[in-house]
Amino acid sequence: MATPSESAISAPSAITLAVDCMGGDHGPRITLAACRAFLERHAEASLLLVGAPAAMAGFSHPRAQVIPASEVVGMDDPIEVALRKKKDSSMRVAIQQVKDGAAQAAVSAGNTGALMAIARYLLKTLDGIDRPAIAPQLPNSKGGATTVLDLGANVDCDAEDLLQFAVLGSALVSALTGNESPSVGLLNVGEEAIKGSETIKKASQLLRKAASSDDLNFYGNVEGNDIFKGTTDIVVCDGFVGNVTLKATEGVASMIVDFLRIEYSSSIFSKFAAIVSYPVLKALKRRLDHRRYNGAALLGLRGLVFKSHGSADDVAFGHALDRAYDAARNNLLDRVRARIAHAAPLLARQEPATPVDAGALHV
Amino acid sequence: MATPSESAISAPSAITLAVDCMGGDHGPRITLAACRAFLERHAEASLLLVGAPAAMAGFSHPRAQVIPASEVVGMDDPIEVALRKKKDSSMRVAIQQVKDGAAQAAVSAGNTGALMAIARYLLKTLDGIDRPAIAPQLPNSKGGATTVLDLGANVDCDAEDLLQFAVLGSALVSALTGNESPSVGLLNVGEEAIKGSETIKKASQLLRKAASSDDLNFYGNVEGNDIFKGTTDIVVCDGFVGNVTLKATEGVASMIVDFLRIEYSSSIFSKFAAIVSYPVLKALKRRLDHRRYNGAALLGLRGLVFKSHGSADDVAFGHALDRAYDAARNNLLDRVRARIAHAAPLLARQEPATPVDAGALHV
């Protein structure tokens, strides 16, 4: 199997990322620490540090440049405020760098709704794509990660949207892993093709058609547990189901970890057991550490944007930077364009898509 | 807070359950063992053991009576076959006992789709209810259980269906726990009322209206992790989201348990740690043991039916019998009727509900 760097599409020699240094729960304290470590890890990479110059005064590096932005999008700012009122926000200026060609990807830990709206407004969606999607990775039993999309950008999706998500997700996974034919599962209530809502049944037909035209490696329907079994490389679902599923699984994992912590500290004997079990518990913690999977791609736009968890620490934010760097280095955008062009006859809609968030996009 | 037995609705003196002894992956070997233990636990209860007389020849108990049924619904039988061809199935004969008033509730570990279709065909839905729902319980961090519905009976739901689920779930929890005002959360992508799909936004309005008329204790929107935090007693969602969420969370729990098993057996040192940790790991196993939560109510019908997991062992099947017994003893059906009558003005639909599975119900 070809690695991304060996693929037909040649990689540009150097990558610049635009970083929204003010976003997230912790702002520059975390983002700048992650940026410094990132520059040490990647000798070829450059960064545009976007934010209040005063907040970044102490940061100096030959491959980093400060791009001033006078405003910050708050974690609770409504989308309208972020889009219409804060035109000099660090989030917006970072995405503008991508639009202007000064950076190959932007990374932000800011408010997801605002990030998607601004990215969509500035960069526009690619031809053939109606709704951009958010695609994070979740750990699976195989020791790898399953890419799931959409994770919340679109709560009402039709069958054509799900097909587009499958194409976008395939481009992402091929760029990040070098697997040129990643498998796609359609999240459903049962494996049998007859099950599921009307939208899912129609999506299943569209995906089968795409598979027969060699545009997708469609595995078939998968169930919720297949995400964690790693049955397929990619799992496609609407944003409502994806978001609820992600949060529910985080809830179960937290419940188990909390339970172990309480039980292991309940007596002297169990405290001893915890000490003896330290390597196992540490490995479990590492396995469930969401920081390793931080950095979700916003896919379907004419530019690369990555979303970090708002509560990310410097390690987690560093993973988001690495993911954006790998995607840019491996020409994710060209891959997405090539896949969409190839699948164009299938992606052509019979009827126009329902307009989404139209109001929010008129600034 | 009043316990169910102290509630205003008086309990009947003795309860009879009709048990589909042939259903599930293991059939009479498991169901009969569970029935024997059940009769020992409950000195007032009687059982109707439905199935092939030959399979139950060895079972004799003064409070058990065999009701012969010559057919068995297979786990993979299509709904049409179960309904139209196997009219003397143990599943159908068990539900018929409820219809005839010979039993107060039926319990089966058979195929969910067939059970719902037969129950719906024989018992009919209650006035004011369009779609029956399946309501299991999931363990939460508070050490209790969260009742979630619907878990797969209805993949396409509208706002009115979700309101009906809230009323049905409230009746179930009040019958099983004695809490006359259990809290209801609406599963959504965010807590803010403005988020969510169109259906969810409308459902949120309906639920708020019901709360202001004192028909429901509506908490508001909840997210996936709230199921496991135990934020509300009941979480309402459509069957697609519910089924995917349930399976995804089972997937995460399995991944963690498998990981611990592998790590604890990876070296002599970790094996020692596992021995020392035995009480903790046993407690975790017990906490995650789905057998304790076995027995999901089919709600919205003119009779009580409980569904056991198909792979249930005798302990798990015994829990399903106990749940059905508690529900019958605490007049779940009267409680459901009383709540529906009280909420009738709110439940009245503006437009007719989409017909569901109409074909499957004409036998």
Side-chain angles (χ1 to χ4, degrees), chain A residues 76 139-141 152 155-156 187-190 196-200 223-229 238-241 243-245 247-260 263-264 266 269-270 272-277 279-281 283-285 287-288, chain B residues 139-141 152 155-156 187-190 192 196-200 223-229 238-241 243-245 247-260 263-264 266 269-270 272-277 279-281 283-285 287-288:
Chain A
D76 296 324
N140 64 37
S141 292
V155 290
D156 286 301
L187 195 59
N188 200 350
V189 292
S197 64
E198 290 310 314
T199 301
I200 293 293
E223 298 190 75
N225 49 347
D226 288 301
I227 297 172
F228 301 95
K229 277 189 194 165
D238 74 43
F240 189 93
V241 172
N243 185 284
V244 165
T245 301
K247 293 208 170 135
T249 54
E250 285 175 357
V252 173
S254 296
M255 181 177 80
I256 294 175
V257 169
D258 287 352
F259 179 81
L260 285 173
E263 285 293 320
Y264 270 122
S266 66
F269 184 75
S270 65
F272 169 69
I275 293 166
V276 180
S277 297
V280 169
L281 298 176
L284 176 67
K285 200 176 160 191
R287 180 67 162 269
L288 297 177
Chain B
N140 64 38
S141 293
V155 290
D156 286 302
L187 194 58
N188 200 350
V189 293
E192 304 82 3
S197 63
E198 290 310 314
T199 301
I200 293 293
E223 298 189 75
N225 49 349
D226 288 302
I227 298 172
F228 301 95
K229 278 188 193 166
D238 74 44
F240 189 93
V241 171
N243 185 285
V244 166
T245 301
K247 293 205 170 138
T249 53
E250 284 174 358
V252 172
S254 298
M255 180 176 81
I256 294 174
V257 169
D258 288 352
F259 179 81
L260 285 174
E263 285 291 319
Y264 269 121
S266 66
F269 184 76
S270 65
F272 169 69
I275 293 166
V276 180
S277 297
V280 170
L281 298 176
L284 177 67
K285 200 177 161 192
R287 181 67 163 266
L288 296 177

Side-chain angles (χ1 to χ4, degrees), chain B residues 35-290:
Chain B
C35 285
R36 186 172 298 283
F38 173 83
L39 289 166
E40 282 165 20
R41 277 198 301 280
H42 306 286
E44 303 280 302
S46 302
L47 294 179
L48 302 178
L49 310 174
V50 186
M56 296 184 285
F59 196 99
S60 165
H61 192 284
R63 284 180 281 119
Q65 183 191 339
V66 171
I67 307 286
S70 60
E71 293 170 302
V72 177
V73 172
M75 292 308 269
D76 296 324
D77 273 350
I79 289 174
E80 293 74 26
V81 170
L83 255 179
R84 299 180 203 201
K85 308 274 180 193
K86 296 188 170 176
K87 296 196 182 177
D88 196 37
S89 72
S90 55
M91 186 186 275
R92 182 162 177 158
V93 173
I95 296 171
Q96 186 69 43
Q97 305 307 307
V98 176
K99 186 175 183 188
D100 295 345
Q104 283 73 53
V107 181
S108 174
N111 168 345
T112 312
L115 185 68
M116 181 54 99
I118 294 174
R120 204 169 158 164
Y121 176 73
L122 288 183
L123 300 174
K124 314 296 179 204
T125 50
L126 288 162
D127 290 332
I129 299 297
D130 299 301
R131 300 157 184 252
I134 301 180
Q137 297 195 302
L138 301 179
N140 64 38
S141 293
K142 292 184 175 167
T146 306
T147 297
V148 184
L149 73 165
D150 175 42
L151 255 285
N154 310 283
V155 290
D156 286 302
C157 292
D158 61 20
E160 284 82 3
D161 293 322
L162 295 171
L163 171 62
Q164 292 172 15
F165 296 167
V167 171
L168 293 172
S170 297
L172 176 66
V173 172
S174 72
L176 292 178
T177 68
N179 174 356
E180 292 297 338
S181 186
S183 55
V184 176
L186 176 65
L187 194 58
N188 200 350
V189 293
E191 285 169 26
E192 304 82 3
I194 52 155
K195 286 189 179 174
S197 63
E198 290 310 314
T199 301
I200 293 293
K201 284 183 201 168
K202 196 174 163 203
S204 182
Q205 288 171 358
L206 290 177
L207 289 162
R208 267 169 230 290
K209 210 166 144 189
S212 68
S213 0
D214 219 20
D215 279 306
L216 279 178
N217 175 7
F218 181 50
Y219 170 88
N221 290 338
V222 294
E223 298 189 75
N225 49 349
D226 288 302
I227 298 172
F228 301 95
K229 278 188 193 166
T231 306
T232 56
D233 299 306
I234 297 152
V235 171
V236 169
C237 59
D238 74 44
F240 189 93
V241 171
N243 185 285
V244 166
T245 301
L246 178 71
K247 293 205 170 138
T249 53
E250 284 174 358
V252 172
S254 298
M255 180 176 81
I256 294 174
V257 169
D258 288 352
F259 179 81
L260 285 174
R261 203 181 48 233
I262 292 166
E263 285 291 319
Y264 269 121
S265 56
S266 66
S267 70
I268 298 224
F269 184 76
S270 65
K271 280 178 188 160
F272 169 69
I275 293 166
V276 180
S277 297
Y278 180 73
V280 170
L281 298 176
K282 198 178 156 198
L284 177 67
K285 200 177 161 192
R286 184 176 141 74
R287 181 67 163 266
L288 296 177
D289 187 355
H290 58 80

Side-chain angles (χ1 to χ4, degrees), chain A residues 248-325:
Chain A
T249 54
E250 285 175 357
V252 173
S254 296
M255 181 177 80
I256 294 175
V257 169
D258 287 352
F259 179 81
L260 285 173
R261 203 182 46 233
I262 292 166
E263 285 293 320
Y264 270 122
S265 55
S266 66
S267 70
I268 299 227
F269 184 75
S270 65
K271 280 178 189 161
F272 169 69
I275 293 166
V276 180
S277 297
Y278 180 72
V280 169
L281 298 176
K282 197 178 156 194
L284 176 67
K285 200 176 160 191
R286 186 177 139 74
R287 180 67 162 269
L288 297 177
D289 187 354
H290 57 81
R291 297 183 304 176
R292 289 170 62 213
Y293 305 95
N294 191 38
L298 270 57
L299 293 172
L301 300 162
R302 297 169 191 261
L304 298 184
V305 179
F306 279 74
K307 158 75 183 141
S308 158
H309 208 288
S311 65
D313 64 8
D314 57 331
V315 173
F317 197 76
H319 277 283
L321 292 174
D322 283 354
R323 192 146 295 162
Y325 179 68

